[in-house]
Amino acid sequence: MKSLKLIFITIIALIVVNSLVAQKGINTVFEGTNSRQRISINEGWSFFKYESAAKADDLIYDVRPEISDKTENKVADAKPTDAVVVEATQEVLKPWILPSGNDFINDPAKRHICPEGNPGSDFPFVQSNFDDQSWEKVNLPHDWAIKGPFQTGWDSEVGGGMGRLPINGVAWYRKKLDIPASDANKTIFLDIDGAMSYSIVWLNGHLVGGWPYGYNSYRLNLTPHIIPGGENQLVIRIDNPNHSARWYPGAGLYRNVWLTKTCPVHVGQWGTYLTTKDISKESATIDLAVVIDNDSKTDELVEVITHVFALDAKGNKIGNAVATFSALNSKIPAGESAKVESAVTIKNPKLWGPPPTQNPNLYVAVTTLSIKGKPIDEYETRFGIRSLEFNPDKGIFVNGEHIFLKGVNQHHDLGALGAAFNISATRRQLEILREMGCNAIRMSHNPPAPELLELTDQMGFLVIDEIFDSWERKKTPHDFHLIFQDWSEPDTRAFIRRDRNCPSVIIWSFGNEVGEQYTAEAGAAVAKRLYNFVKEEDPTRPTTLAMNFAKPDMELPKIPDIIGLNYQGEGIRQSPEFEGTERIRTAPQYDAFHKKFPNKVILSAETASAASSRGIYLFPVSKELSAPIRDGLGGDSKICQVSSYELHAVDFGSSVDKVFGSIEHHPFVAGEFVWNGFDYIGEPTPYYEARSSYTGIIDLAGFPKDRFYLYQSHWRPELQIAHILPHWNWPERIGEVTPVHVFTSGDEAELFLNGKSLGKKKKAEYEYRLRWDYVVYEPGELKAVAYKEGKVWAEEVVKTTGEATKLKAIANRNEIAADGKDLSFITIRITDNNELTVPVSNNKIKFSIDGPGEIVATDNGNSMDMTSFSSHEREAFNGLALVIIRSKKGEPGTITLTAKSAGLKNTSIEIISK
Ligand code: GAL
């Protein structure tokens, strides 16, 4: 391990570069001289998982507490409890793993010294010559649990909370690395973007290190154990505990894995830090710090120069450099590191800001290290120039423009694809959210894949980047609290260092609903320690904590820069039925916090937790605008579905309408992050028999629920829409009251049933939907004509459909890349003869594929569907099903997907793979 002593050389150079002059004058000259390589090693792994944790080897990181209370369906806002401490009674590998975090521990005295010995070296799986022929062949990103099968019933090993999928257990991954003899003088790192969880790495029989927290990215230096030109066996052990999260964590090497090869003198891991200041249309100052590691055996004089290029929307450099940080020299002793700092002022910067009013313009800083005039390393850092202002009375300003945060919370799974990261699936999610009018995302409750932030940078979303759901106190028996003492500093610092150049990240959150809300000064002290880590790594952004319990007079809210409230703004469990409850019950808190903390911005880190099942409407319909879910009132525990009239929320939540109203009453609130954007696997409140959540605005398959249009009508007031609910296929309700609600960006609407007006309704102030609650059902046609300022604004028609007769396929992308990764999401609709989707059809559909593609997963958005996601047969859910297909690498051609269903006309769709 390289010496961790940092020599700080601070040389500030301020150069004003007129971009016009720069475009003509400065050019880069380092073609072909970059020794740095970043190589994907996602392909060709062998995988083995033990049948059960009991049968696994004992190469454990540490012992874990026995679990006595397996209760799963506890309320999401239950009070966290004290940690359980267990003393190890056997040899554990923890002392060898802890040093992997050393680069992220500031106090040298607290860094870990690796003990002698090489645990695991005699274990067969770790040996280079172990025969893994019989192991499963997999490519990364890989989530071993997603193909199932689902575990059903109350006594299943993995319950509803963690998604009923086999995430738990110990597994091994093996791969031979190709390291040519010419790499002999290189430094070679393993970069893992995320491994779920407790990963431990061996190379050629040597224990190299590991990282327990599954969501953080980490690096190990493989160099000392590499055999250049020889056989190099990389082996990774994963030990993913059950009861470790309140949602589906995924399992295994679920993000990208890289080999990074550099010259021994190189830019350090996440070694650049760019910040921007004094920003106007005319100019901006960019500060740059570069950490350079000298892993060689000689002292070196290194020249550092950084050119800045503008990027186009596809991420390509445009023209010549627009600014250059002057060349600086730094003498770095062997085995040490140095930090070089400089600044530049750029004229007429193209600012980064959120659409639709601004553009997410990006730049890249290309840093070149040279020794004796010879370039030895080139390192690129994507960044943006933007000013942020946090005003406690008005909210958040980006480049001087007030931007209300129309945000959602997102967990990391990608529905039927599980936690295995895929950029095409992630982009689809963001596109759907953007369509709704969402401009902000909270990464609940853990660091995302780095590529997700690349997308939010490119697309202009504002991000709260979050790291923890628990600290010392636990929410589940095997969550992060088990490693908090050892890893909270390295995890926090690594998290910030990785993401701090992303312009989309505007706020750091270092905790969600943590148990330390309840522990007064002691809890605040824990918070302060973490706060300091964040600020030391990035003083430029504010921090927040998401608090569902802490009140203004308590200790915890004093710590973060921004008050993040979960549900407290609207009030929690305010209806009389909750009188006397032991759960959190809180009057609306926006004003109280604003009064107590007049200098802190307030935002709602979680709102709503409204729930619904797409296409399900239950009667009678609540007269209340916001109500909990009960049998006969928004819920049906027999079928485990929640009504889509969108009036119900989990016990501590509030309906969308109620949240809109309460926020509009408090204009100082900077914005909201809805719980939540897409349904996710696990945490199926209120029905833990299920596999996936009900609180998403969009279902697990990516199909919008009615709520989507309620947000869209409010968040995109310029978009001319009217949305009618429910569907109009109710043969069993003829003559019965069947309320009709309309969501529109207009201010009034007239509803017609079979041509007959049912009256015009106007939204009152703080009203967000129009309701006709006494419509008597008769089949036919519902039509809503919406008006804005007296003029026709939008029209929508919903018809009673005929019998289901055929299938129809629509792809989100008809052309994909033949790279073995790219995806097309194909929606199958069951329609009548007139192409109207039959909203009550649940026919079973069979899928088959021809050509150079494969079916990766199918879904329908039904939280209760226990058919494996990898199945090629699936029932539709209320008229819709989804098929996800993937191209084959290097095999361009036409992929044909066919869907068949008994009694219905088939459909086929062609996707071009290029
Ligand atoms: C919140 C919690 C979220 C999620 C949500 C479910 O209390 O922060 O992680 O559990 O409730 O409604």
Side-chain angles (χ1 to χ4, degrees):
M1 166 146 308
K2 83 181 159 53
S3 153
L4 290 146
K5 207 168 114 210
L6 271 175
I7 299 179
F8 292 98
I9 302 168
T10 307
I11 312 162
I12 307 287
L14 199 71
I15 308 164
V16 180
V17 183
N18 179 306
S19 57
L20 270 177
V21 173
Q23 273 169 22
K24 279 191 211 140
I26 305 170
N27 213 335
T28 47
V29 285
F30 25 72
E31 252 98 353
T33 50
N34 176 18
S35 71
R36 176 179 290 264
Q37 283 173 287
R38 187 168 186 248
I39 303 160
S40 166
I41 51 165
N42 284 344
E43 283 174 31
W45 291 77
S46 301
F47 171 76
F48 167 81
K49 183 177 178 241
Y50 294 100
E51 232 168 84
S52 74
K55 292 192 177 154
D57 56 78
D58 57 5
L59 294 168
I60 57 172
Y61 170 83
D62 202 357
V63 291
R64 299 190 182 114
E66 290 290 327
I67 296 178
S68 47
D69 176 16
K70 296 192 177 162
T71 342
E72 264 243 51
N73 54 339
K74 64 177 177 196
V75 191
D77 66 347
K79 181 175 170 180
T81 50
D82 282 340
V84 175
V85 183
V86 238
E87 290 296 329
T89 50
Q90 65 185 97
E91 186 184 64
V92 295
L93 273 57
K94 177 168 134 174
W96 285 267
I97 306 305
L98 289 173
S100 304
N102 275 349
D103 281 355
F104 304 93
I105 298 175
N106 263 19
D107 177 358
K110 291 193 174 143
R111 292 181 196 140
H112 305 278
I113 294 165
C114 199
E116 292 289 309
N118 185 16
S121 59
D122 52 355
F123 189 68
F125 296 175
V126 164
Q127 314 299 316
S128 292
N129 59 6
F130 173 76
D131 182 2
D132 59 23
Q133 284 297 318
S134 63
W135 288 18
E136 190 186 342
K137 303 297 164 232
V138 300
N139 290 336
L140 313 182
H142 175 243
D143 175 352
W144 82 53
I146 194 61
K147 62 175 189 264
F150 284 105
Q151 304 173 5
T152 52
W154 284 120
D155 54 358
S156 65
E157 209 179 337
V158 181
M162 290 183 80
R164 302 194 168 278
L165 289 168
I167 49 90
N168 56 324
V170 176
W172 290 79
Y173 290 85
R174 286 170 53 94
K175 181 181 165 67
K176 292 247 185 284
L177 299 179
D178 177 25
I179 313 281
S182 55
D183 281 351
N185 296 321
K186 289 195 173 157
T187 302
I188 301 181
F189 299 104
L190 175 69
D191 283 319
I192 298 190
D193 286 349
M196 191 63 71
S197 56
Y198 290 90
S199 51
I200 301 182
V201 177
W202 286 263
L203 181 74
N204 298 331
H206 298 275
L207 175 58
V208 191
W211 201 281
Y213 192 39
Y215 294 103
N216 256 348
S217 301
Y218 72 97
R219 161 173 283 189
L220 295 175
N221 189 352
L222 302 181
T223 322
H225 310 298
I226 290 270
I227 308 165
E231 197 157 88
N232 286 280
Q233 180 67 54
L234 182 64
V235 181
I236 303 180
R237 180 188 189 271
I238 302 279
D239 180 359
N240 202 34
N242 202 355
H243 306 284
S244 55
R246 301 182 297 110
W247 57 85
Y248 175 74
L253 296 176
Y254 75 111
R255 287 184 183 161
N256 290 314
V257 178
W258 312 88
L259 270 194
T260 301
K261 300 180 181 176
T262 66
C263 169
V265 179
H266 53 261
V267 174
Q269 182 190 16
W270 306 315
T272 54
Y273 179 35
L274 285 130
T275 53
T276 56
K277 66 183 183 207
D278 304 329
I279 296 156
S280 66
K281 283 205 173 98
E282 292 73 41
S283 83
T285 300
I286 316 170
D287 288 318
L288 167 69
V290 185
V291 172
I292 303 155
D293 293 343
N294 179 1
D295 288 350
S296 78
K297 295 201 167 61
T298 48
D299 300 354
E300 296 291 349
L301 182 65
V302 184
E303 188 198 69
V304 189
I305 187 162
T306 300
H307 298 285
V308 176
F309 297 84
L311 293 177
D312 66 18
K314 288 192 174 144
N316 300 317
K317 295 185 193 102
I318 308 172
N320 296 329
V322 295
T324 295
F325 293 87
S326 62
L328 300 170
N329 290 309
S330 173
K331 181 126 198 262
I332 313 170
E336 294 189 0
S337 299
K339 181 154 112 181
V340 174
E341 289 181 308
S342 61
V344 77
T345 295
I346 168 171
K347 283 272 162 76
N348 307 319
K350 284 194 193 155
L351 303 185
W352 183 97
T357 49
Q358 301 188 35
N359 283 318
N361 295 306
L362 289 169
Y363 289 92
V364 64
V366 182
T367 301
T368 306
L369 307 185
S370 306
I371 295 178
K372 296 194 186 102
K374 187 173 165 257
I376 49 147
D377 192 15
E378 186 182 299
Y379 185 86
E380 297 202 344
T381 315
R382 181 186 72 251
F383 73 103
I385 301 173
R386 44 122 180 88
S387 74
L388 295 174
E389 189 200 325
F390 294 85
N391 183 316
D393 296 315
K394 295 183 181 152
I396 295 172
F397 291 75
V398 183
N399 302 321
E401 181 191 353
H402 175 245
I403 305 283
F404 180 80
L405 300 175
K406 302 166 179 174
V408 299
N409 282 275
Q410 283 281 96
H411 268 315
H412 70 308
D413 77 60
L414 295 166
L417 301 172
F421 180 77
N422 179 285
I423 196 141
S424 163
T426 308
R427 189 181 287 113
R428 170 182 181 249
Q429 288 199 332
L430 294 178
E431 282 166 356
I432 294 171
L433 290 169
R434 158 117 331 139
E435 179 60 26
M436 183 172 72
C438 164
N439 65 7
I441 305 206
R442 172 170 175 241
M443 302 296 172
S444 49
H445 303 295
N446 35 256
E451 294 84 356
L452 172 48
L453 292 178
E454 207 170 310
L455 288 175
T456 54
D457 282 352
Q458 280 167 12
M459 295 174 75
F461 284 91
L462 302 169
V463 169
I464 297 186
D465 205 0
E466 182 162 87
I467 176 150
F468 297 128
D469 190 49
S470 59
W471 297 344
E472 280 179 356
R473 289 163 67 78
K474 66 174 186 298
K475 292 183 180 173
T476 58
H478 288 159
D479 67 22
F480 188 80
H481 81 279
L482 294 179
I483 52 170
F484 183 86
Q485 295 308 343
D486 291 319
W487 287 91
S488 52
E489 178 174 0
D491 269 315
T492 306
R493 290 189 193 276
F495 156 68
I496 307 276
R497 250 178 252 177
R498 191 196 71 174
D499 294 348
R500 65 187 173 180
N501 290 317
C502 296
S504 57
V505 175
I506 63 165
I507 297 167
W508 303 112
S509 167
F510 55 104
N512 174 60
E513 299 186 355
V514 291
E516 286 71 6
Q517 290 175 104
Y518 298 82
T519 56
E521 279 86 1
V526 179
K528 183 68 182 157
R529 182 174 153 265
L530 296 172
Y531 174 90
N532 289 343
F533 297 152
V534 176
K535 287 298 192 185
E536 282 161 18
E537 297 298 328
D538 179 29
T540 71
R541 290 175 180 85
T543 62
T544 195
L545 288 174
M547 296 173 287
N548 65 333
F549 173 76
K551 299 290 168 298
D553 59 352
M554 293 183 185
E555 291 303 312
L556 199 73
K558 293 180 185 164
I559 308 297
D561 307 305
I562 290 180
I563 301 288
L565 297 181
N566 285 10
Y567 313 102
Q568 296 204 69
E570 288 66 53
I572 296 173
R573 293 191 181 85
Q574 286 301 281
S575 63
E577 83 168 271
F578 294 111
E579 204 133 341
T581 180
E582 282 174 14
R583 303 279 177 217
I584 300 172
R585 191 166 193 240
T586 302
Q589 292 293 317
Y590 286 133
D591 290 321
F593 271 98
H594 192 47
K595 192 162 167 230
K596 175 78 184 194
F597 297 102
N599 298 323
K600 293 193 185 197
V601 163
I602 297 175
L603 56 81
S604 260
E606 281 181 39
T607 55
S609 264
S612 51
S613 311
R614 178 185 51 77
I616 298 279
Y617 304 90
L618 303 175
F619 303 92
V621 172
S622 167
K623 296 281 172 269
E624 308 284 321
L625 203 61
S626 183
I629 305 155
R630 298 288 179 265
D631 269 346
L633 283 172
D636 183 338
S637 61
K638 284 207 191 77
I639 54 168
C640 296
Q641 304 291 1
V642 185
S643 179
S644 275
Y645 273 93
E646 309 292 13
L647 295 164
H648 296 268
V650 304
D651 284 6
F652 52 82
S654 298
S655 71
V656 181
D657 312 62
K658 185 174 166 192
V659 174
F660 284 163
S662 100
I663 288 183
E664 289 205 321
H665 274 103
H666 299 96
F668 57 84
V669 175
E672 67 162 316
F673 290 82
V674 178
W675 192 269
N676 65 303
F678 276 66
D679 269 331
Y680 50 97
I681 309 174
E683 210 189 14
T685 315
Y687 303 122
Y688 268 64
E689 296 91 319
R691 58 162 209 201
S692 51
S693 73
Y694 298 84
T695 47
I697 302 169
I698 298 146
D699 76 16
L700 198 75
F703 303 136
K705 301 180 188 174
D706 289 291
R707 237 181 304 151
F708 180 94
Y709 303 97
L710 189 47
Y711 285 105
Q712 196 180 46
S713 64
H714 188 57
W715 283 354
R716 295 184 65 186
E718 76 298 342
L719 188 75
Q720 295 177 252
I721 63 149
H723 174 81
I724 297 175
L725 63 93
H727 62 72
W728 215 237
N729 278 37
W730 301 104
E732 72 285 12
R733 298 189 64 79
I734 292 177
E736 285 186 50
V737 168
T738 306
V740 176
H741 293 189
V742 172
F743 303 151
T744 176
S745 46
D747 40 38
E748 56 184 329
E750 184 165 12
L751 185 69
F752 300 87
L753 176 55
N754 292 330
K756 194 172 149 246
S757 174
L758 301 181
K760 222 178 187 184
K761 297 202 187 262
K762 201 178 169 99
K763 288 185 206 162
E765 207 184 0
Y766 307 117
E767 252 177 33
Y768 307 92
R769 71 170 72 198
L770 297 168
R771 34 198 305 181
W772 285 259
D773 275 333
Y774 300 97
V775 179
V776 175
Y777 180 77
E778 62 185 56
E781 180 189 285
L782 278 174
K783 178 167 148 185
V785 182
Y787 295 82
K788 191 165 179 177
E789 287 156 11
K791 295 203 185 89
V792 172
W793 176 252
E795 237 181 70
E796 168 83 345
V797 171
V798 167
K799 289 181 184 166
T800 308
T801 73
E803 292 281 288
T805 55
K806 48 186 182 178
L807 298 169
K808 206 179 161 188
I810 305 146
N812 78 327
R813 295 169 67 222
N814 293 90
E815 227 179 79
I816 58 177
D819 60 2
K821 291 182 269 190
D822 209 3
L823 305 174
S824 181
F825 288 77
I826 301 170
T827 301
I828 308 292
R829 294 181 176 273
I830 300 180
T831 77
D832 67 3
N833 278 335
N834 299 320
E835 314 276 306
L836 291 176
T837 303
V838 181
V840 290
S841 51
N842 294 332
N843 308 48
K844 186 177 234 175
I845 310 172
K846 287 188 184 179
F847 307 101
S848 57
I849 195 162
D850 262 330
E854 51 194 331
I855 296 174
V856 206
T858 59
D859 192 14
N860 55 17
N862 178 1
S863 306
M864 281 298 284
D865 189 340
M866 301 295 164
T867 312
S868 158
F869 287 127
S870 54
S871 170
H872 292 197
E873 273 185 42
R874 180 168 302 276
E875 284 175 6
F877 183 53
N878 299 322
L880 303 180
L882 175 79
V883 188
I884 308 171
I885 66 165
R886 182 169 56 204
S887 63
K888 287 192 176 160
K889 191 176 171 179
E891 293 184 42
T894 302
I895 306 167
T896 309
L897 178 90
T898 303
K900 294 183 182 170
S901 179
L904 303 180
K905 195 170 163 243
N906 298 347
T907 188
S908 286
I909 185 168
E910 289 189 348
I911 307 294
I912 312 296
S913 179
K914 274 191 172 171

